Structures are given as C-alpha cells and as structure tokens.
Amino acid sequence: MGFFDKIKQGLFKTARILNTDIRDLFKQQGRHVDDAFLEELFEMLVKTDMGVAASKEIVDEVRTQHRGRIVEMVEVLDVIKAKLKDLMRQPSEPIRFAEAGPTVVMVCGVNGCGKTTTIAKLTSQFVGEGKKVVLGAADTFRAAAVEQLTVWADRLGAEIVTGPSGSDPASVAHKTIEKAVALKADVAIVDTAGRLQTQKNLMQELEKIRRVMSKQVPAAPHEVILVLDATTGQNGISQAKHFTQAVQCTGLVLAKLDGTAKGGVAVAIRKQLDLPVKYVGIGESAADLVVFEPELFVDALFAA
Ligand SMILES: Nc1nc2c(ncn2[C@@H]2O[C@H](COP(=O)(O)OP(=O)(O)OP(=O)(O)O)[C@@H](O)[C@H]2O)c(=O)[nH]1
Ligand SMILES: [Mg+2]
C-alpha cells in the first residue's frame, strides 16, 4: 500500500465528515455563495478541528474568489484544497541524521499519546534501512514500560538499555548514549515516561535528561520528537508549547490519526506552531508510520 492510500485510510473518519457535509452544502446543482453558505462552510471546517483561525482563512479565500457567484462543488473544493496546502506548507523534514557518531533521538509527550509505539515504528524503519539502533528505556516509572520496549527491541532486532525500576531516567539516557557510542550504533532512541505539560517537576526531569545527553555528545539530542495523540484535538497545541519550552522539540509525530475524526488538527498545529510534523501514526503495528507529506495529507483529507 502506498503512502497516499495509508494516509487516506487513516483519515477516513475526517474525510467522511468533510465529504458528507460538503455534499450537503451542494444539494441543489450549483450554489449561491452568500453569507449563509460561508457560515455553513465555516462550521463544517471547524468540526474537523483545524481550528478557528485556519477555518476563517479558508472561508475568507472562498469569499474573495466566489462571493455572489453560483458555484459548483468542485470550484469550492479547489479553493479549500489550495488554501490548505498553503497553510500546511513546511520543509520536508524527516529525521536529520548526525554526520558522525550516533544520531540521538529523544521522544516525549503526555501519558499514553503513543511514544513507545512510535519508537517501535521508527526502529522498524531504521533497522529496515540497515541501521544499528540502541533503545533507552528511560521510562523507569512503570515496570510495564520497560517490558513493552524490551519486547519491541527483541522483535525488531535493536539493542536496549534499561535501569532499575524507579531509578533516575537521566542515568538510563546516559548509559544509552554510552552504549550507542561503544557499539558504533547509527541511532539511539530514548523513551521517556508520559507526563502532563503542566507538571513542573516532571518537565524539569525531562530537561535534565536532555542536558545529560548534550554533555555526552555536543550536538545531542539531534532530534527531540514530541508525540501528539491526534484524538485529543486542540489540547495538542498547549502540549506542544510547553514541551518545546522545556526541551526544544524539533518536530512532531501525530499519532492515532486512524482513530480520529479530528485529523484537521494537523492544520491547526501547522498554523499555530513553528514545528514540522515529521511523521503520522496510523495504526498500532510497527509498519503504521508514514512520513508526513502536506500535499498528500490535504488530498487524503478530501478523498472519498
Ligand atoms: N490506532 C492507533 N493506536 C496507537 C497508535 N500509536 C499508539 N497507539 C496505541 O496507543 C496506546 C498507547 O501507546 P503507547 O505507545 O504505549 O503510548 P505511550 O505514550 O508510550 O504511553 P505511556 O508510556 O504510558 O505514557 C497503545 O495501545 C498503542 O497501541 C496509532 O498510531 N494508532
Ligand atoms: Mg510508553
């Protein structure tokens, strides 16, 4: 299955809202673009969680181009799609690999957002490319978290570093980098415990993990990935702001896009944050991660 089909499958709930509602707007052939029409269009866009600001910009564009005219559905769709592509534009930016030594990736986010699963997915990709991967189980808070990552490491053929339950996660991160350097690994990925962006002490703990790694390898962490659960919608914006403040996130993974009718949140995120969406998660298996491509994403959003 190609990228487009996978994303399309992941976005089918969002696409269903958009397509049904857009068709409803055009019950009769052609429609007069008046204030009532524009208001209905606005409500439809907001329902997908793309945010008020983005929805307003799109509606403004439709108004500018078509107000007072009788239009066909496809004319309006073309304006919406073009504006969305414009709003979503970002440099194509998957993981940036270090020129020498291991590329260090730190993964963070709120509880249950999909961090560990995302790490498994990234590992699967990297191992598939012939890279040697060392995982660090710096979520020492829950015993099950270490087990979960260990199972993935064994299954995917990666090395893993763990620490005693309740031990300092920064020390696990430290050992992970040490091992990655010693093994001449290509990538070290450090998992962290879930935390709310408002928990000050836990955010400080995250800062410490970051600091420890940057002392070992000056450019590390090369990537700080924030995983956002797409089903939580607009709260992701607040998460991104706080996590970025604490650990300078370099990009986002939008997980669980397959389970949501709020796929439009990716639009709100691109509009409000200066962070690229690197990948999207569209299922629970190790293969269910795709590089984020804004153009394809927008097309999939409207693919019936
Ligand atoms: N449908 C779907 N489920 C996902 C996706 N990513 C993760 N999940 C599921 O979400 C649940 C939580 O995933 P984890 O990877 O354990 O989340 P976490 O952020 O590591 O959780 P904590 O370590 O407890 O904070 C699991 O049941 C995963 O299988 C996705 O892209 N799609
Ligand atoms: Mg986890």
Side-chain angles (χ1 to χ4, degrees), residues 146-166:
V146 178
E147 273 168 46
Q148 186 189 0
L149 198 65
T150 306
V151 168
W152 279 118
D154 291 347
R155 197 183 296 169
L156 298 167
E159 300 285 331
I160 185 162
V161 174
T162 62
S165 175

Side-chain angles (χ1 to χ4, degrees), residues 197-198 203 237-247:
Q197 72 272 28
T198 47
M203 294 307 278
I237 309 282
S238 150
Q239 292 167 25
K241 282 183 181 155
H242 284 87
F243 275 96
T244 299
Q245 226 164 41
V247 287

